[in-house]
Amino acid sequence: MVVTSDIEKASETLRAGGLVALPTETVYGLGANAEDPAAVARIFQTKGRPPTHPLIVHIGGADQLDEWVEEASATARLLAEHFWPGPLTLVLRRGRRVPLEATGGLETVAVRVPDHPVALALLSAFGGGITAPSANRFGSVSPTTADHVRAELGDAVDFVLDGGPCGVGVESTIVDVTGETPSILRPGGVTREDLEAVLGHPVALPSTSHVRVPGQHPSHYAPRARVVLVEPERVVAEGELARQRGHQVGLLLPPAFADAPVKAHAVVTVPASTTAYARGLYGFLRDLDQQGCDLIVASLPTDEGLGLAIANRLRRAAEPRPSA
């Protein structure tokens, strides 16, 4: 349980140029003072993250947006009004307060207001912006508990705020609002349908973008085990074939096949609710790793609601890994 003294210590750590792992509603973030280039550089070093890969600046409220961006459009303000605090990140032109180290050298900045009482308390006590990508090694499974952070980063983090399990479980939706027409650069905790309901028109989901944002690296959100994606009705059979070839197989079993006879090293029957599936996804992948699986067979949910974000994460987890 987080107490006032923990918030104060975390705030002091940030002011001193340190790194703080903090809970948000999406995943745990590895936070640094957004205005301290040296502290921001430590995030990249600790994660093994390419310095051209932008970070998200977390702020304490929509009323602070103008302090961090050059200009907020009417569309940006409308989305902020409806979805902040919440799992929505807006990409806008960088304000002078944001160093280029935090944007990967770009003149755009990604900004959001997290919907977690501990994160908001820290932002209030600190009084500034906090850059906070996921608190894990670059490209691996994002952490949704404080224990995940400690297991992966250990003493590389100066202070860990334990705010319990994350409620959403996948990262924020990133929307580019630098132009006249907003587009989703990364699906996440705010659904495409929710955005379209507020805006009153369809929102594009481009396959490529000139704006670099977090989570666009081809291989990302990946467990140690290799991930193979097949059609839902093929999960059990593909898992059996892999087992016969000598793999320690883990299955993310679609709920429609929960009663199917299965031979596998480990099995997780995924929830029928995409909300529950998103909340548990990264934990499922970590658990299959911990059980010694070297191959995970899964299928993609439909792209409705949070299914779009889950499918995005699974596709990137299944991409070929960069060679060491």
Side-chain angles (χ1 to χ4, degrees):
M1 179 178 178
V2 173
V3 296
T4 302
S5 59
D6 292 330
I7 297 296
E8 292 173 351
K9 183 173 181 180
S11 181
E12 291 169 0
T13 300
L14 291 172
R15 291 193 189 96
L19 301 183
V20 172
L22 64 147
T24 76
E25 78 280 25
T26 58
V27 300
Y28 272 72
L30 182 62
N33 179 354
E35 297 177 84
D36 183 341
V40 171
R42 279 195 62 196
I43 290 179
F44 289 96
Q45 294 162 4
T46 299
K47 285 177 60 70
R49 184 185 182 100
T52 56
H53 208 61
L55 306 177
I56 294 174
V57 176
H58 295 67
I59 60 176
D63 59 323
Q64 300 174 16
L65 182 60
D66 289 331
E67 301 175 29
W68 298 93
V69 304
E70 185 178 271
E71 183 179 2
S73 64
T75 298
R77 295 187 191 280
L78 176 64
L79 293 175
E81 177 185 346
H82 277 81
F83 296 110
W84 284 358
L88 177 70
T89 295
L90 300 177
V91 176
L92 291 153
R93 299 289 297 177
R94 176 181 70 97
R96 293 181 180 179
R97 198 169 177 179
V98 184
L100 287 171
E101 286 81 359
T103 68
L106 300 177
E107 288 299 332
T108 54
V109 61
V111 185
R112 89 174 185 100
V113 180
D115 189 14
H116 194 291
V118 174
L120 291 172
L122 177 58
L123 284 160
S124 177
F126 176 58
I130 299 174
T131 49
S134 55
N136 59 316
R137 302 294 179 189
F138 181 70
S140 67
V141 179
S142 299
T144 53
T145 71
D147 286 342
H148 293 164
V149 178
R150 296 186 184 104
E152 187 155 352
L153 296 182
D155 293 340
V157 182
D158 298 309
F159 192 71
V160 177
L161 279 171
D162 188 344
C166 299
V168 175
V170 292
E171 292 81 357
S172 61
T173 302
I174 301 180
V175 177
D176 178 10
V177 284
T178 57
E180 294 183 3
T181 305
S183 61
I184 297 173
L185 303 184
R186 178 182 73 183
V190 170
T191 69
R192 184 178 191 172
E193 294 86 344
D194 288 339
L195 291 168
E196 291 176 345
V198 168
L199 294 172
H201 58 76
V203 181
L205 187 68
S207 57
T208 59
S209 171
H210 68 283
V211 180
R212 293 197 310 272
V213 294
Q216 286 183 318
H217 196 271
S219 175
H220 217 74
Y221 317 109
R224 291 191 300 274
R226 185 165 65 90
V227 177
V228 174
L229 299 177
V230 297
E231 293 300 317
E233 63 272 14
R234 289 289 305 162
V235 170
V236 173
E238 189 69 25
E240 174 59 17
L241 286 173
R243 188 184 72 84
Q244 292 174 7
R245 295 180 186 126
H247 288 287
Q248 296 286 84
V249 180
L251 300 184
L252 288 180
L253 191 64
F257 301 92
D259 296 328
V262 174
K263 292 181 180 180
H265 182 70
V267 178
V268 174
T269 301
V270 304
S273 160
T274 54
T275 300
Y277 191 0
R279 187 183 303 123
L281 174 62
Y282 292 146
F284 299 154
L285 295 176
R286 285 178 179 272
D287 287 345
L288 292 174
D289 266 346
Q290 290 171 359
Q291 292 184 64
C293 297
D294 64 4
L295 186 143
I296 296 170
V297 182
S299 63
L300 300 179
T302 64
D303 61 4
E304 297 176 353
L306 283 172
L308 184 66
I310 296 167
N312 171 271
R313 304 311 189 268
L314 287 173
R315 285 192 183 98
R316 293 190 183 275
E319 284 287 331
R321 315 292 169 83
S323 57

Coordinates of all heavy atoms in Angstrom, one line a residue, residues 128-213:
G128 N 5.7 18.5 -12.0 CA 6.2 18.6 -13.4 C 5.7 17.4 -14.2 O 4.8 16.6 -13.7
G129 N 6.3 17.2 -15.4 CA 5.9 16.1 -16.2 C 6.9 14.9 -16.0 O 8.0 15.1 -15.5
I130 N 6.4 13.7 -16.2 CA 7.2 12.5 -16.0 C 7.2 11.7 -17.3 O 6.1 11.3 -17.7 CB 6.6 11.7 -14.8 CG1 6.6 12.5 -13.5 CG2 7.4 10.4 -14.7 CD1 6.0 11.7 -12.3
T131 N 8.4 11.5 -17.8 CA 8.5 10.6 -19.0 C 8.5 9.2 -18.4 O 9.2 8.9 -17.5 CB 9.8 10.8 -19.8 OG1 10.9 10.9 -18.9 CG2 9.7 12.1 -20.5
A132 N 7.6 8.3 -19.0 CA 7.5 7.0 -18.4 C 7.1 6.0 -19.4 O 5.9 5.7 -19.6 CB 6.5 7.0 -17.3
P133 N 8.0 5.3 -20.1 CA 7.7 4.2 -20.9 C 7.5 3.0 -20.0 O 7.7 3.1 -18.8 CB 9.0 4.0 -21.8 CG 10.1 4.5 -20.8 CD 9.5 5.6 -20.1
S134 N 7.2 1.8 -20.5 CA 6.9 0.7 -19.6 C 8.2 0.3 -18.9 O 9.3 0.4 -19.5 CB 6.4 -0.5 -20.5 OG 7.3 -0.8 -21.6
A135 N 8.1 -0.2 -17.7 CA 9.2 -0.4 -16.8 C 9.8 -1.8 -17.0 O 9.7 -2.7 -16.2 CB 8.9 -0.2 -15.4
N136 N 10.3 -2.1 -18.2 CA 10.9 -3.4 -18.6 C 12.0 -3.2 -19.6 O 12.2 -2.1 -20.1 CB 9.8 -4.2 -19.2 CG 9.1 -3.6 -20.4 OD1 8.9 -2.4 -20.4 ND2 8.9 -4.4 -21.4
R137 N 12.7 -4.3 -19.9 CA 13.7 -4.2 -21.0 C 13.0 -4.0 -22.3 O 11.9 -4.5 -22.5 CB 14.5 -5.5 -21.0 CG 15.2 -5.8 -19.7 CD 16.3 -4.8 -19.4 NE 16.9 -5.2 -18.1 CZ 17.8 -4.4 -17.5 NH1 18.1 -3.2 -18.0 NH2 18.3 -4.8 -16.3
F138 N 13.6 -3.2 -23.2 CA 13.0 -2.8 -24.4 C 12.6 -4.1 -25.2 O 13.4 -5.0 -25.4 CB 14.0 -2.0 -25.3 CG 13.4 -1.5 -26.6 CD1 12.4 -0.6 -26.6 CD2 13.9 -2.1 -27.8 CE1 11.9 -0.2 -27.9 CE2 13.4 -1.7 -29.0 CZ 12.4 -0.7 -29.0
G139 N 11.3 -4.1 -25.7 CA 10.9 -5.2 -26.6 C 10.2 -6.3 -25.8 O 9.6 -7.2 -26.4
S140 N 10.4 -6.4 -24.5 CA 9.9 -7.6 -23.8 C 8.5 -7.3 -23.2 O 7.9 -6.2 -23.5 CB 10.8 -7.9 -22.6 OG 10.9 -6.9 -21.6
V141 N 7.9 -8.2 -22.5 CA 6.5 -8.1 -22.0 C 6.4 -7.0 -21.0 O 7.3 -6.9 -20.1 CB 6.1 -9.4 -21.4 CG1 4.7 -9.3 -20.8 CG2 6.2 -10.5 -22.4
S142 N 5.5 -6.1 -21.2 CA 5.3 -5.0 -20.2 C 4.9 -5.5 -18.9 O 4.1 -6.4 -18.7 CB 4.2 -4.0 -20.8 OG 4.7 -3.5 -22.1
P143 N 5.2 -4.7 -17.8 CA 4.9 -5.1 -16.4 C 3.6 -4.6 -16.0 O 3.2 -3.4 -16.2 CB 6.0 -4.5 -15.6 CG 6.4 -3.3 -16.4 CD 6.1 -3.6 -17.8
T144 N 2.8 -5.4 -15.3 CA 1.5 -5.0 -14.8 C 1.4 -5.1 -13.3 O 0.3 -4.8 -12.7 CB 0.3 -5.7 -15.5 OG1 0.5 -7.1 -15.3 CG2 0.2 -5.4 -17.0
T145 N 2.5 -5.5 -12.7 CA 2.6 -5.4 -11.2 C 4.0 -4.9 -10.8 O 4.9 -5.0 -11.6 CB 2.4 -6.8 -10.6 OG1 3.5 -7.6 -10.9 CG2 1.1 -7.5 -11.1
A146 N 4.1 -4.5 -9.6 CA 5.4 -4.0 -9.1 C 6.4 -5.1 -9.1 O 7.6 -4.9 -9.3 CB 5.2 -3.4 -7.7
D147 N 5.9 -6.4 -8.8 CA 6.8 -7.5 -8.8 C 7.4 -7.8 -10.1 O 8.6 -8.2 -10.2 CB 6.1 -8.8 -8.3 CG 5.9 -8.7 -6.8 OD1 6.5 -7.9 -6.1 OD2 5.0 -9.5 -6.3
H148 N 6.7 -7.6 -11.2 CA 7.2 -7.7 -12.5 C 8.4 -6.8 -12.7 O 9.4 -7.1 -13.3 CB 6.1 -7.4 -13.6 CG 5.0 -8.4 -13.6 ND1 3.8 -8.1 -14.3 CD2 4.9 -9.6 -13.1 CE1 3.0 -9.1 -14.2 NE2 3.6 -10.1 -13.5
V149 N 8.2 -5.5 -12.3 CA 9.3 -4.5 -12.4 C 10.5 -4.9 -11.7 O 11.6 -4.9 -12.2 CB 8.8 -3.1 -11.9 CG1 9.9 -2.1 -12.0 CG2 7.6 -2.6 -12.6
R150 N 10.3 -5.4 -10.4 CA 11.5 -5.7 -9.6 C 12.2 -6.9 -10.2 O 13.4 -7.0 -10.2 CB 11.0 -6.1 -8.2 CG 10.4 -4.9 -7.4 CD 10.1 -5.2 -6.0 NE 9.5 -4.1 -5.3 CZ 8.2 -4.1 -5.0 NH1 7.4 -5.1 -5.4 NH2 7.6 -3.0 -4.4
A151 N 11.4 -7.9 -10.7 CA 12.1 -9.1 -11.3 C 12.9 -8.8 -12.5 O 13.9 -9.4 -12.8 CB 11.0 -10.1 -11.6
E152 N 12.4 -7.8 -13.3 CA 13.1 -7.5 -14.6 C 14.2 -6.5 -14.5 O 15.2 -6.6 -15.1 CB 12.1 -7.1 -15.6 CG 12.7 -7.0 -17.0 CD 11.7 -7.1 -18.1 OE1 10.5 -7.5 -17.8 OE2 12.0 -6.9 -19.3
L153 N 14.0 -5.4 -13.7 CA 14.9 -4.3 -13.6 C 15.7 -4.2 -12.4 O 16.8 -3.6 -12.3 CB 14.2 -3.0 -13.9 CG 13.5 -2.8 -15.2 CD1 12.8 -1.5 -15.3 CD2 14.5 -3.0 -16.4
G154 N 15.2 -4.8 -11.3 CA 16.0 -4.9 -10.0 C 16.5 -3.6 -9.5 O 15.7 -2.6 -9.5
D155 N 17.8 -3.5 -9.2 CA 18.3 -2.3 -8.6 C 18.6 -1.2 -9.6 O 19.0 -0.1 -9.2 CB 19.7 -2.6 -8.0 CG 19.5 -3.5 -6.7 OD1 18.4 -3.6 -6.2 OD2 20.5 -4.2 -6.4
A156 N 18.3 -1.4 -10.9 CA 18.4 -0.4 -11.9 C 17.4 0.7 -11.7 O 17.6 1.9 -12.2 CB 18.3 -0.9 -13.3
V157 N 16.3 0.4 -10.9 CA 15.3 1.4 -10.6 C 15.6 2.0 -9.2 O 15.8 1.2 -8.2 CB 13.9 0.8 -10.6 CG1 12.8 1.9 -10.4 CG2 13.6 0.2 -12.0
D158 N 15.6 3.3 -9.0 CA 15.9 3.8 -7.7 C 14.8 3.7 -6.7 O 15.0 3.6 -5.5 CB 16.2 5.3 -7.9 CG 17.4 5.5 -8.8 OD1 18.5 4.9 -8.5 OD2 17.3 6.3 -9.8
F159 N 13.5 3.7 -7.1 CA 12.4 3.6 -6.2 C 11.2 3.0 -7.0 O 10.9 3.4 -8.1 CB 12.0 4.9 -5.6 CG 11.1 4.8 -4.5 CD1 11.5 4.3 -3.2 CD2 9.8 5.2 -4.6 CE1 10.6 4.2 -2.2 CE2 8.9 5.1 -3.5 CZ 9.3 4.6 -2.3
V160 N 10.5 2.0 -6.3 CA 9.3 1.4 -6.9 C 8.1 1.7 -6.1 O 8.1 1.4 -4.9 CB 9.5 -0.1 -7.0 CG1 8.2 -0.8 -7.6 CG2 10.7 -0.5 -7.9
L161 N 7.1 2.4 -6.7 CA 5.8 2.6 -6.1 C 4.9 1.5 -6.4 O 4.6 1.2 -7.6 CB 5.2 3.9 -6.6 CG 5.7 5.2 -6.0 CD1 5.2 6.4 -6.8 CD2 5.3 5.4 -4.5
D162 N 4.4 0.8 -5.4 CA 3.6 -0.4 -5.6 C 2.1 0.0 -5.5 O 1.6 0.3 -4.4 CB 3.9 -1.5 -4.6 CG 3.2 -2.8 -4.9 OD1 2.2 -2.8 -5.7 OD2 3.5 -3.8 -4.4
G163 N 1.4 0.2 -6.6 CA 0.0 0.6 -6.6 C -0.9 -0.6 -6.9 O -2.1 -0.3 -7.3
G164 N -0.4 -1.8 -6.8 CA -1.2 -3.0 -7.1 C -1.3 -3.3 -8.6 O -0.6 -2.6 -9.4
P165 N -2.0 -4.3 -9.0 CA -2.1 -4.7 -10.4 C -2.8 -3.6 -11.3 O -3.7 -2.9 -10.8 CB -3.0 -5.9 -10.4 CG -3.0 -6.4 -9.0 CD -2.8 -5.2 -8.1
C166 N -2.3 -3.5 -12.5 CA -2.9 -2.4 -13.4 C -4.3 -2.9 -13.9 O -4.5 -4.0 -14.2 CB -2.0 -2.2 -14.6 SG -0.3 -1.7 -14.2
G167 N -5.2 -1.9 -14.0 CA -6.6 -2.3 -14.3 C -6.9 -2.5 -15.7 O -7.8 -3.3 -16.1
V168 N -6.2 -1.8 -16.6 CA -6.4 -2.0 -18.1 C -5.5 -3.1 -18.6 O -6.0 -3.9 -19.4 CB -6.2 -0.6 -18.8 CG1 -6.3 -0.8 -20.3 CG2 -7.2 0.4 -18.3
G169 N -4.2 -3.0 -18.4 CA -3.4 -4.1 -18.7 C -2.6 -4.0 -20.0 O -1.7 -4.8 -20.3
V170 N -3.1 -3.2 -20.9 CA -2.3 -2.9 -22.2 C -2.1 -1.4 -22.2 O -2.9 -0.6 -21.6 CB -3.0 -3.4 -23.4 CG1 -3.1 -4.9 -23.5 CG2 -4.4 -2.8 -23.6
E171 N -1.1 -1.0 -23.0 CA -0.7 0.4 -23.1 C -1.8 1.3 -23.6 O -2.8 0.8 -24.2 CB 0.5 0.6 -23.9 CG 1.8 -0.1 -23.3 CD 1.9 -1.6 -23.5 OE1 0.9 -2.2 -24.1 OE2 2.8 -2.2 -23.0
S172 N -1.6 2.6 -23.5 CA -2.6 3.6 -24.0 C -2.7 3.6 -25.5 O -1.8 3.2 -26.2 CB -2.2 5.0 -23.5 OG -0.9 5.3 -24.0
T173 N -3.8 4.0 -25.9 CA -4.1 4.3 -27.4 C -3.3 5.6 -27.7 O -3.4 6.6 -27.0 CB -5.6 4.5 -27.7 OG1 -6.3 3.3 -27.3 CG2 -5.8 4.7 -29.1
I174 N -2.6 5.6 -28.8 CA -1.9 6.8 -29.2 C -2.6 7.3 -30.5 O -2.7 6.6 -31.5 CB -0.4 6.5 -29.5 CG1 0.3 6.0 -28.3 CG2 0.3 7.8 -30.0 CD1 1.8 5.6 -28.5
V175 N -3.0 8.6 -30.4 CA -3.7 9.3 -31.5 C -2.9 10.5 -32.0 O -2.5 11.3 -31.2 CB -5.1 9.7 -31.1 CG1 -5.8 10.4 -32.2 CG2 -5.9 8.5 -30.7
D176 N -2.6 10.5 -33.3 CA -1.9 11.6 -33.9 C -2.9 12.7 -34.1 O -3.8 12.6 -34.9 CB -1.2 11.2 -35.2 CG -0.5 12.3 -35.9 OD1 -0.4 13.4 -35.3 OD2 -0.1 12.1 -37.1
V177 N -2.8 13.9 -33.5 CA -3.7 15.0 -33.7 C -2.9 16.2 -34.2 O -3.2 17.4 -34.0 CB -4.5 15.4 -32.5 CG1 -5.6 14.4 -32.2 CG2 -3.6 15.5 -31.2
T178 N -1.8 15.9 -34.9 CA -0.9 17.0 -35.4 C -1.5 17.6 -36.7 O -1.2 18.7 -37.1 CB 0.5 16.6 -35.7 OG1 0.4 15.5 -36.7 CG2 1.2 16.1 -34.5
G179 N -2.4 16.8 -37.4 CA -3.0 17.3 -38.6 C -4.5 17.5 -38.5 O -5.0 17.5 -37.4
E180 N -5.1 17.7 -39.6 CA -6.6 17.9 -39.6 C -7.4 16.7 -39.3 O -8.5 16.8 -38.7 CB -7.0 18.5 -41.0 CG -6.4 19.9 -41.3 CD -7.0 20.4 -42.6 OE1 -7.8 19.7 -43.2 OE2 -6.5 21.5 -43.0
T181 N -6.9 15.5 -39.6 CA -7.6 14.3 -39.4 C -6.9 13.4 -38.4 O -5.7 13.0 -38.7 CB -7.8 13.5 -40.7 OG1 -8.4 14.4 -41.7 CG2 -8.6 12.3 -40.5
P182 N -7.4 13.1 -37.3 CA -6.8 12.3 -36.3 C -6.6 10.9 -36.7 O -7.5 10.4 -37.5 CB -7.6 12.4 -35.0 CG -9.0 12.8 -35.5 CD -8.8 13.6 -36.8
S183 N -5.6 10.2 -36.3 CA -5.4 8.8 -36.7 C -4.8 8.0 -35.5 O -4.1 8.6 -34.7 CB -4.5 8.6 -37.9 OG -3.2 9.2 -37.7
I184 N -5.1 6.8 -35.4 CA -4.6 5.9 -34.3 C -3.3 5.3 -34.8 O -3.2 4.6 -35.7 CB -5.6 4.8 -34.0 CG1 -7.0 5.3 -33.6 CG2 -5.0 3.8 -33.0 CD1 -8.0 4.3 -33.4
L185 N -2.2 5.7 -34.0 CA -0.9 5.2 -34.3 C -0.6 3.9 -33.5 O 0.2 3.1 -33.9 CB 0.2 6.2 -34.0 CG 0.0 7.6 -34.7 CD1 1.2 8.5 -34.4 CD2 -0.1 7.4 -36.2
R186 N -1.3 3.7 -32.4 CA -1.2 2.5 -31.6 C -2.5 2.2 -30.9 O -3.0 3.1 -30.1 CB -0.1 2.6 -30.6 CG 0.0 1.3 -29.7 CD 1.1 1.4 -28.6 NE 0.7 2.3 -27.5 CZ 1.5 2.6 -26.5 NH1 2.7 2.1 -26.4 NH2 1.0 3.4 -25.6
P187 N -3.2 1.1 -31.2 CA -4.4 0.8 -30.5 C -4.1 0.5 -29.0 O -3.1 -0.1 -28.7 CB -5.0 -0.4 -31.2 CG -3.9 -1.0 -31.9 CD -2.9 0.1 -32.2
G188 N -5.0 0.8 -28.1 CA -4.8 0.6 -26.7 C -6.0 0.6 -25.9 O -7.1 0.2 -26.3
G189 N -5.9 1.2 -24.7 CA -7.0 1.1 -23.7 C -8.2 1.9 -24.0 O -9.3 1.6 -23.4
V190 N -8.1 2.9 -24.9 CA -9.4 3.6 -25.4 C -9.6 3.0 -26.8 O -8.8 3.0 -27.6 CB -9.2 5.1 -25.5 CG1 -10.3 5.8 -26.2 CG2 -9.0 5.7 -24.1
T191 N -10.9 2.5 -26.9 CA -11.2 1.8 -28.2 C -11.4 2.7 -29.3 O -11.7 3.9 -29.2 CB -12.4 0.9 -28.0 OG1 -13.6 1.7 -27.9 CG2 -12.2 0.0 -26.8
R192 N -11.2 2.2 -30.5 CA -11.5 2.9 -31.7 C -13.0 3.4 -31.8 O -13.3 4.5 -32.1 CB -11.2 2.0 -32.9 CG -11.4 2.7 -34.3 CD -11.0 1.7 -35.4 NE -10.9 2.3 -36.7 CZ -10.5 1.7 -37.8 NH1 -10.1 0.5 -37.7 NH2 -10.4 2.3 -38.9
E193 N -13.9 2.5 -31.3 CA -15.3 2.8 -31.3 C -15.6 4.0 -30.3 O -16.4 4.9 -30.6 CB -16.1 1.6 -30.8 CG -16.1 0.5 -31.8 CD -14.9 -0.5 -31.6 OE1 -13.9 -0.1 -30.9 OE2 -14.9 -1.6 -32.2
D194 N -14.9 4.1 -29.2 CA -15.1 5.2 -28.2 C -14.6 6.5 -28.9 O -15.3 7.5 -28.7 CB -14.3 4.9 -26.9 CG -14.9 3.8 -26.1 OD1 -16.2 3.6 -26.3 OD2 -14.2 3.3 -25.2
L195 N -13.5 6.5 -29.5 CA -13.0 7.7 -30.2 C -13.9 8.2 -31.3 O -14.2 9.4 -31.3 CB -11.6 7.4 -30.8 CG -10.4 7.1 -29.9 CD1 -9.3 6.6 -30.7 CD2 -10.1 8.4 -29.2
E196 N -14.4 7.2 -32.1 CA -15.3 7.6 -33.1 C -16.7 8.2 -32.6 O -17.3 9.1 -33.2 CB -15.6 6.4 -34.1 CG -14.3 6.1 -34.8 CD -14.5 4.8 -35.7 OE1 -15.4 4.1 -35.5 OE2 -13.6 4.6 -36.6
A197 N -17.1 7.6 -31.5 CA -18.3 8.1 -30.9 C -18.2 9.6 -30.4 O -19.1 10.4 -30.6 CB -18.7 7.3 -29.7
V198 N -17.0 10.0 -29.9 CA -16.8 11.3 -29.5 C -16.6 12.3 -30.7 O -17.1 13.4 -30.7 CB -15.6 11.4 -28.5 CG1 -15.2 12.8 -28.2 CG2 -16.0 10.7 -27.2
L199 N -15.8 11.8 -31.6 CA -15.5 12.7 -32.8 C -16.6 12.8 -33.8 O -16.7 13.7 -34.5 CB -14.2 12.1 -33.4 CG -12.9 12.2 -32.6 CD1 -11.8 11.5 -33.3 CD2 -12.5 13.7 -32.3
G200 N -17.4 11.7 -33.9 CA -18.5 11.8 -34.8 C -18.2 11.4 -36.2 O -18.9 11.6 -37.1
H201 N -17.0 10.7 -36.4 CA -16.6 10.3 -37.7 C -15.5 9.2 -37.5 O -15.0 9.0 -36.5 CB -16.0 11.4 -38.5 CG -14.8 12.1 -37.9 ND1 -13.5 11.5 -37.9 CD2 -14.7 13.3 -37.3 CE1 -12.7 12.4 -37.2 NE2 -13.4 13.4 -36.9
P202 N -15.3 8.4 -38.6 CA -14.3 7.3 -38.5 C -12.9 7.8 -38.2 O -12.6 8.9 -38.6 CB -14.4 6.6 -39.9 CG -15.7 7.0 -40.4 CD -16.0 8.4 -39.9
V203 N -12.1 7.0 -37.5 CA -10.8 7.3 -37.2 C -9.9 6.3 -37.9 O -10.1 5.1 -37.8 CB -10.5 7.3 -35.7 CG1 -9.0 7.6 -35.4 CG2 -11.4 8.2 -34.9
A204 N -8.9 6.8 -38.7 CA -8.0 6.0 -39.5 C -7.1 5.2 -38.6 O -6.7 5.7 -37.5 CB -7.2 6.8 -40.5
L205 N -6.7 4.0 -39.1 CA -5.7 3.2 -38.4 C -4.6 2.9 -39.5 O -4.6 1.8 -40.0 CB -6.3 1.9 -37.8 CG -5.4 1.1 -37.0 CD1 -5.1 1.7 -35.7 CD2 -6.1 -0.3 -36.7
P206 N -3.7 3.8 -39.8 CA -2.8 3.7 -40.9 C -1.8 2.5 -40.6 O -1.4 2.3 -39.5 CB -2.1 5.0 -41.0 CG -2.2 5.6 -39.6 CD -3.5 5.1 -39.1
S207 N -1.4 1.9 -41.7 CA -0.4 0.8 -41.5 C 1.0 1.3 -41.3 O 1.9 0.7 -40.7 CB -0.4 -0.1 -42.8 OG -0.1 0.7 -43.9
T208 N 1.3 2.5 -41.8 CA 2.5 3.2 -41.6 C 2.2 4.7 -41.2 O 1.2 5.2 -41.5 CB 3.4 3.2 -42.8 OG1 2.8 3.8 -43.9 CG2 3.8 1.7 -43.2
S209 N 3.2 5.3 -40.6 CA 3.1 6.7 -40.2 C 4.4 7.4 -40.3 O 5.5 6.8 -40.0 CB 2.5 6.8 -38.8 OG 2.5 8.2 -38.4
H210 N 4.4 8.7 -40.6 CA 5.7 9.5 -40.6 C 6.0 9.9 -39.1 O 7.1 10.4 -38.9 CB 5.5 10.7 -41.4 CG 4.5 11.7 -40.9 ND1 3.2 11.6 -41.0 CD2 4.7 12.9 -40.2 CE1 2.6 12.6 -40.4 NE2 3.5 13.4 -39.9
V211 N 5.1 9.7 -38.2 CA 5.3 10.1 -36.8 C 5.8 8.8 -36.0 O 5.0 7.8 -36.0 CB 4.1 10.7 -36.1 CG1 4.4 11.0 -34.7 CG2 3.6 11.9 -36.9
R212 N 7.0 8.9 -35.4 CA 7.4 7.7 -34.6 C 6.8 7.9 -33.2 O 6.8 8.9 -32.6 CB 8.9 7.7 -34.5 CG 9.7 7.5 -35.7 CD 11.1 7.1 -35.5 NE 11.8 8.0 -34.6 CZ 12.5 9.1 -35.0 NH1 12.5 9.4 -36.2 NH2 13.1 9.9 -34.1
V213 N 6.3 6.8 -32.7 CA 5.7 6.7 -31.4 C 6.0 5.4 -30.7 O 6.5 4.5 -31.4 CB 4.1 6.9 -31.4 CG1 3.7 8.2 -32.0 CG2 3.5 5.8 -32.3

